[in-house]
Amino acid sequence: MVDEIRVRFAPSPTGYLHVGGARTALFNWLFARSTGGTFILRIEDTDRARYQESALAEIIESLRWLGLDQDEGPEAGGPRGPYFQSERLALYREHADRLVGEGKAYPCFCTSERLDALRREQEAAKLPHVGYDRTCRRLPPGEAAARRAAGTPCVIRFAVPEEVRPVTFNDLIRGDIEYRTDVLDDFVLLKSDGFPTYHLANVVDDRAMGISHVLRGDEWIASTPRHILLYEAFGWPLPRFAHLPVILSPDGGKLSKRKGAASVLDYRRAGYLPEALFNFLALLGWAPGDDREVMDRGEIAAAFSLDRVHPKPAVFDEEKLAWMNGQYMMARSAEALLPEILPLWAKLGFTDGTEPWLPKVVDLLKSRARRLNELAEDAVWFFRDPETYEEKAAAKHFGPDGPALLRELAEALAAVEPFTAAPLEALYRATAEAKALSPGKLIHPTRLAVSGVSFGPGLFEMMEVLGRETVLRRMEAAARRIEEKH
RNA sequence: GGCCCAUUCGUCUAAUGGUUAGGAUACGGCCCUCUCAAGGCCGCGAUACGGGUUCGAAUCCCGUAUGGGCUACCA
């Protein structure tokens, strides 16, 4: 028999997809792609109280943006659907009833008030093991069935074996983990609204969908023994388990919106490229084993293996993400980067995207910005004449003889042919030499006059893109401004 | 409280009993240079602590500390 590898990412549509969830999805995707397996998206919408209408679209858009294409799922379809748990309710009830019939589960009529009181009592008594006291488990079978038949609201609880024994499993990332049956309480399988809990739905669906490897977040590790008991009760073979470490914020706590972006789409809004986030997330908890860091999807998928995933929680360092994003921005051609920048320029009111020299602007700026938004904003003076001049630089480069110098240079500029970088540079160097000045004495005032700031691309490349008319206009405007000041 | 998990430079990580503990980021410096970036070179910086096992421990074992998760009719 061929061991077919099938993995799933199973988010609950209760909010945006955060980077921790995205990393779980990414590792599932990488594992599938690196082994020729199947990557499935399953929506675990069994919590009607926390369900959010907008969440599903956001999750799907986040995955699409990151390039985590699904082989089976709500959009891709597939033979093991439906891929929404809310459309599989009959299956869960059937399985819960089967366990009740076999004496491995039982209806529980305890009210939430009684359960709350019980919990408070146990906490006050500082009992080592807290949990349901199994009152309804001891109900005479006839009575339970009768009350259920009469329509008394109830949940179905799993009857954890009374026998005290270890429940062990081998986690692909952490190794052997052991729990004991006496620390497990009789957890709920089916809620009183007829919806399954995560535990039941997850196990039933993983079985029904042929999931071979369960790669999920760390927070599920304590639930795994319950799931194993369920597999045993059903008589099903176990999938392999691998629990991924959490991603932490720089202060060591959980990642949250408050501490910066936490959702995948926030990073898109902040000007990050999907391939950069993809690469960065892949390196959180995994490394190829050699010194490679900037790797494309294919390289990462080819190098990925679960045994190189390590169990330590990783801090999300946005500085390094920014660096990596800069690497990807530089690596993209201007033509490939332009479509990302155009909408930002449109929003800033800079351009409708028709100027033929736009790719040159991207070329001049892409190695000078780490995020798309930065690049877009840094381009302001390509589109607008400066209204102010950087104060410190003006004090240094706009002296009393500034107007005369700028006008003299402008006069020479008016005659340069063609108006391109090389002749412009030749002109400046020759002029500097003739005046026995360092070229910087000419270049810096011109840069400030033309862009309003003291930093940016090479002056002559800038002037070429701006064109003669604009450059001369700005130099004259600067000359007048200096005269007004003095 | 109980159970479980984790612990190498600030951060991401490499080294799976024998390395001057390597790389990246960040930070500092130098070079390049019209500025700012980019790039190149150099520097700073780590095995949480205490016991074992071993000729030899970041690596194996135990304990402590610290951090995290679970302990719901949430996932």
Side-chain angles (χ1 to χ4, degrees), chain A residues 149-327:
Chain A
T152 311
C154 69
V155 302
I156 303 297
R157 285 183 186 274
F158 182 71
V160 171
E162 306 262 17
E163 171 203 9
V164 177
R165 59 172 171 94
V167 181
T168 62
F169 62 100
N170 180 269
D171 188 285
L172 260 11
I173 293 170
R174 285 156 219 277
D176 293 329
I177 295 173
E178 177 179 314
Y179 282 83
R180 286 163 17 141
T181 48
D182 56 338
V183 304
L184 271 18
D185 74 343
D186 287 355
F187 55 97
V188 172
L189 259 19
L190 221 50
K191 305 178 224 176
S192 56
D193 64 4
F195 277 64
T197 59
Y198 172 85
H199 305 298
L200 208 221
N202 195 262
V203 167
V204 167
D205 281 347
D206 281 350
R207 164 68 178 182
M209 295 182 181
I211 300 303
S212 63
H213 292 70
V214 174
L215 314 197
R216 74 214 322 184
D218 214 340
E219 68 272 23
W220 294 110
I221 204 159
S223 296
T224 305
R226 294 174 227 275
H227 301 167
I228 288 173
L229 256 19
L230 269 176
Y231 280 101
E232 287 176 358
F234 284 122
W236 294 338
L238 257 35
R240 302 305 312 267
F241 292 97
H243 289 93
L244 273 11
V246 294
I247 297 180
L248 304 172
S249 71
D251 66 11
K254 284 177 83 169
L255 222 38
S256 71
K257 285 249 182 191
R258 180 167 302 188
K259 296 164 188 164
S263 92
V264 169
L265 264 22
D266 279 344
Y267 283 95
R268 178 169 74 176
R269 279 186 284 273
Y272 291 98
L273 254 12
E275 56 267 39
L277 221 212
F278 181 106
N279 193 160
F280 178 75
L281 250 22
L283 259 20
L284 243 36
W286 175 82
D290 49 40
D291 286 339
R292 286 179 297 168
E293 286 205 315
V294 179
M295 302 167 75
D296 65 32
R297 283 187 174 79
E299 271 180 283
I300 294 172
F304 188 80
S305 78
L306 268 187
D307 54 27
R308 294 200 63 87
V309 174
H310 69 102
K312 181 190 159 190
V315 172
F316 192 98
D317 180 8
E318 197 153 339
E319 275 296 331
K320 186 151 185 180
L321 205 214
W323 165 78
M324 186 162 276
N325 199 61
Q327 296 291 310

Side-chain angles (χ1 to χ4, degrees), chain A residues 371-386:
Chain A
R371 296 180 300 110
L372 298 168
N373 295 358
E374 280 172 28
L375 191 159
E377 288 158 20
D378 287 349
V380 58
W381 47 265
F382 278 106
F383 303 105
R384 293 178 181 164
D385 288 0

Side-chain angles (χ1 to χ4, degrees), chain A residues 104-140:
Chain A
K104 294 169 178 168
Y106 59 91
C108 169
F109 304 92
C110 294
T111 61
S112 50
E113 290 75 35
R114 170 169 159 8
L115 262 16
D116 285 344
L118 176 66
R119 196 173 306 119
R120 277 196 300 273
E121 222 171 275
Q122 289 174 333
E123 276 165 16
K126 295 197 169 160
L127 253 40
H129 303 325
V130 297
Y132 182 58
D133 63 3
R134 298 183 172 169
T135 298
C136 292
R137 185 164 173 175
R138 289 184 282 270
L139 246 34

